[in-house]
Amino acid sequence: MPYKEILSKAVLLGLALAITSVTFADDVAKHYKDNCAVCHNEHRLGGIGPALLPGNLKRLRKKTAVDVISNGRAATQMPAFAEKLSETDIKALVEYIYTPPEEMPVWGLDKISASHIIHNHESELPNKPVFKVDDLLNMFLVVELGDHHVTLLDGDRMEPIHRFKSRFALHGGPKYSSSGRFVYFASRDGWISKYDIYNLKLVAEIRAGINTRNLAVSADGRYVMVANYLPHSLVLLDASDLRPIKLYDVRDSNGNTSRVSAVYTAPPRNSFIAALKDIQEVWEISYDNDPPIGFDGWVHDYRTDSGENVEPEPFPVRKIKVNDYIDDFFFDQEYVSLIGASREGKGQVVDMDIGRVIVTDLELPGMPHLGSGITWEYKGRPVLATPNLKKGDVSVIDMETWKAIKHIETLGPGFFMRSHENTPYAWVDVFFGPNKDAMHVIDKSTLEIVKTLRPVPGKTAAHIEFTRDGKYALLSIWDPDGAVIVYDAATLEEVKRIPMNKPSGKYNVYNKTRYSAGTSH
Ligand code: DHE
């Protein structure tokens, strides 16, 4: 073939390849925009679903990512795309999400501060409710995911008092101030809102992260700690107006950074406790007025390199090495034992007083949903029970021996388990599968299912919260045309239906602020 002909063929081939790769790149971007952006954000920063950036996908192999896109992910809202997209398109999407974006998003203290909004000065808001109820501590907040609203409910009359708009996609439990007057919400995209329940007004808001897990409020009501997936950080805020105080860059001594699984307040310890998803450590951050100094493990800058003593840094961190990554965790009522589980279903117990793992083979098959473990007394011993996101199984574990004493078989994997000190029953939902409309009621003294309710056939029945006295149980019908259904917690008979738009969690002021053993903290 003459040289010129070869050259022109090569040019044509190159051109064709270039066009193909441009089209290919366009296709991937379009597939992403059409199918993924609504949950994962158009810039892959996360929303209802996690951020899809290489840093956030560190623990997910590409092969698994292909499987997740093709078949969906159990226990999340991730649907299956195998029928909609070809195998090649799915593989291209995987390559796309593992490729760093042209500009990595940064969300440091300057950006956080710039997002700060004061809606109303707390000092100008009267400390008196603008509505009348018999018991301010028996109110509930109900998060309605359907149209991103929150309803304030009178827990005595079971009547809505007020309904207000929330940020997009709130997730996790809102946290009350100890008086119950204020509440703090976190949205999946990092917005933290402080709301004055007495005045039915927003106080302040701030965007503490790009993809946030949850928040915790200190037991003394002075601080809010926010746990983020993106960036890999914990952010300490002043609870009075959400001003940022400190940003913790979450990394280990080798410089590896990590997403934060979640953060909780440990009231008797005057500390926040966070578990990490990509580093095998648990962090305890003290907000004590008199922070522990010199105690083994607390990291302080109280001595300079030259040995000169300086004031200890406030909010020191204690880093505890653990045996595995902790995706999910909860505590005993004393906040001494941290019970952690990895996504692969390996459980461990960390003694927070001595700062090390004491049990490595805790029998938690599958994965609990965070904060869903509850405790009660069974035959004179404390037990912990948790549903499972992968299996129709409620594990009941003796908290003295840390051995499973029973696996209660349920009609499918469940998200939430709840009880109350004054009720003999624990309620657990069946969130997934053909029995998603079922709610099991378990007798806490026999560990047997005594009743299975099906309040609205075909519609998901989920998440229970009790009134302050434990006499009524409120259940969510997780549907745009849904409701909160009130049950008599003793007779298990329905008492009332309150229509709501996809109600998810419900939060009783008394039970939450008193850290009831039957609910999440
Ligand atoms: Fe949740 C609590 C993590 C999926 C509804 N969920 C929590 C908490 C964490 C968590 C860290 C505790 C925060 C707190 O209360 O301070 N959730 C996760 C996941 O890792 C998981 C499995 C995957 C994900 O999407 O992040 C997940 N969660 C869901 C859902 O799909 C649910 C059903 C609907 C939604 O809102 O996205 C859901 N999670 C909830 C609710 C709570 C919660 C309603 C608070 C329950 C409570 O009573 O405290």
Side-chain angles (χ1 to χ4, degrees):
M1 203 186 290
Y3 172 73
K4 269 195 176 165
E5 206 178 316
I6 294 176
L7 191 67
S8 67
K9 282 207 166 138
V11 168
L12 277 177
L13 186 68
L15 209 61
L17 278 176
I19 291 170
T20 315
S21 67
V22 168
T23 322
F24 192 63
D26 283 354
D27 280 354
V28 180
K30 185 168 177 345
H31 287 320
Y32 181 85
K33 196 163 165 269
D34 292 349
N35 300 295
C36 319
V38 63
C39 292
H40 297 277
N41 173 284
E42 63 175 307
H43 302 295
R44 297 193 272 149
L45 304 180
I48 294 170
L52 297 178
L53 298 168
N56 293 72
L57 299 168
K58 268 194 285 193
R59 284 177 59 200
L60 188 78
R61 282 174 306 147
K62 285 189 182 173
K63 216 169 128 242
T64 317
V66 170
D67 181 54
V68 172
I69 299 177
S70 309
N71 304 314
R73 189 192 262 282
T76 70
Q77 304 188 21
M78 174 73 190
F81 287 95
E83 300 214 331
K84 199 169 170 197
L85 298 172
S86 69
E87 213 183 309
T88 317
D89 290 339
I90 291 176
K91 283 192 176 147
L93 267 175
V94 169
E95 289 308 322
Y96 179 72
I97 61 176
Y98 281 77
T99 308
E102 274 166 26
E103 263 181 61
M104 243 353 222
V106 182
W107 204 255
L109 270 180
D110 49 346
K111 285 248 171 76
I112 297 173
S113 301
S115 70
H116 190 203
I117 309 165
I118 300 278
H119 292 279
N120 286 287
H121 288 281
E122 194 180 313
S123 55
E124 291 163 14
L125 295 168
N127 187 17
K128 197 168 169 289
V130 294
F131 50 86
K132 245 188 105 46
V133 289
D134 292 340
D135 183 359
L136 284 169
L137 295 180
N138 194 29
M139 295 192 296
F140 290 80
L141 284 173
V142 185
V143 172
E144 291 180 69
L145 283 182
D147 60 351
H148 311 283
H149 274 71
V150 177
T151 290
L152 177 66
L153 196 67
D154 176 349
D156 292 312
R157 276 173 291 161
M158 289 299 168
E159 298 282 349
I161 300 165
H162 184 61
R163 191 169 188 269
F164 55 96
K165 194 152 179 46
S166 73
R167 286 274 168 184
F168 179 79
L170 295 184
H171 177 234
K175 304 288 154 70
Y176 295 104
S177 61
S178 55
S179 67
R181 171 176 165 189
F182 298 103
V183 62
Y184 301 83
F185 299 100
S187 77
R188 284 198 184 252
D189 60 3
W191 278 101
I192 307 301
S193 312
K194 175 174 180 175
Y195 187 82
D196 181 346
I197 296 176
Y198 287 8
N199 290 284
L200 306 175
K201 281 186 175 146
L202 268 175
V203 176
E205 288 187 292
I206 193 160
R207 192 167 185 199
I210 293 176
N211 187 352
T212 288
R213 293 307 283 161
N214 78 327
L215 66 79
V217 178
S218 63
D220 63 9
R222 293 164 66 193
Y223 308 106
V224 172
M225 184 66 95
V226 183
N228 288 324
Y229 261 10
L230 192 73
H232 294 176
S233 65
L234 282 153
V235 181
L236 183 70
L237 307 173
D238 186 317
S240 67
D241 60 1
L242 300 183
R243 237 172 322 121
I245 298 175
K246 190 166 176 171
L247 184 140
Y248 296 82
D249 188 17
V250 178
R251 61 177 70 232
D252 66 10
S253 51
N254 297 320
N256 301 311
T257 66
S258 174
R259 296 166 291 169
V260 184
S261 303
V263 64
Y264 296 105
T265 299
R269 313 177 69 83
N270 283 332
S271 65
F272 294 111
I273 298 178
L276 310 182
K277 255 189 150 61
D278 309 301
I279 295 177
Q280 296 186 4
E281 288 178 3
V282 162
W283 284 20
E284 180 169 23
I285 298 166
S286 173
Y287 56 78
D288 210 317
N289 279 338
D290 191 12
I293 300 177
F295 177 64
D296 189 28
W298 290 99
V299 179
H300 279 282
D301 296 333
Y302 65 94
R303 198 175 284 222
T304 61
D305 287 346
S306 59
E308 181 195 343
N309 278 333
V310 292
E311 276 298 300
E313 276 258 311
F315 317 111
V317 187
R318 176 185 179 217
K319 300 180 181 179
I320 299 170
K321 294 261 176 263
V322 291
N323 281 26
D324 199 351
Y325 304 105
I326 295 185
D327 290 299
D328 307 289
F329 66 113
F330 28 78
F331 299 91
D332 61 356
Q333 281 294 98
E334 290 74 38
Y335 287 86
V336 172
S337 306
L338 178 152
I339 299 102
S342 72
R343 223 158 257 271
E344 289 71 39
K346 288 187 223 143
Q348 54 184 316
V349 181
V350 183
D351 184 315
M352 293 301 298
D353 281 352
I354 57 177
R356 66 180 167 78
V357 175
I358 52 164
V359 176
T360 54
D361 57 353
L362 196 67
E363 217 183 297
L364 287 178
M367 188 186 75
H369 174 247
L370 273 138
S372 285
I374 58 168
T375 57
W376 70 82
E377 203 91 294
Y378 172 71
K379 297 194 175 161
R381 294 163 83 92
V383 293
L384 167 104
T386 171
N388 193 312
L389 287 178
K390 292 187 184 161
K391 204 172 157 189
D393 173 290
V394 169
S395 312
V396 185
I397 291 169
D398 181 324
M399 293 174 81
E400 284 172 11
T401 62
W402 295 112
K403 296 285 170 218
I405 51 173
K406 180 142 186 184
H407 289 282
I408 306 170
E409 201 181 314
T410 62
L411 286 172
F415 248 107
F416 304 101
M417 181 156 188
R418 295 285 177 261
S419 187
H420 188 281
E421 284 80 352
N422 298 342
T423 174
Y425 303 123
W427 300 49
V428 65
D429 56 40
V430 182
F431 204 90
F432 302 100
N435 292 299
K436 63 182 187 180
D437 53 1
M439 173 73 67
H440 294 302
V441 181
I442 296 169
D443 185 329
K444 291 193 285 186
S445 67
T446 61
L447 309 184
E448 299 291 340
I449 294 176
V450 289
K451 190 157 186 177
T452 297
L453 301 161
R454 284 188 197 265
V456 182
K459 289 191 177 169
T460 306
H463 193 279
I464 294 286
E465 175 76 311
F466 286 83
T467 45
R468 169 185 178 157
D469 55 12
K471 286 194 176 148
Y472 297 96
L474 279 64
L475 174 153
S476 294
I477 297 297
W478 208 282
D479 190 89
D481 187 18
V484 162
I485 305 188
V486 184
Y487 284 91
D488 181 313
T491 63
L492 310 181
E493 293 299 326
E494 184 178 325
V495 175
K496 185 166 185 176
R497 270 179 201 219
I498 310 161
M500 297 219 184
N501 189 342
K502 209 173 177 194
S504 63
K506 303 161 293 299
Y507 309 89
N508 178 272
V509 178
Y510 184 89
N511 296 340
K512 293 293 175 196
T513 52
R514 271 42 175 195
Y515 303 96
S516 159
T519 190
S520 60
H521 298 169

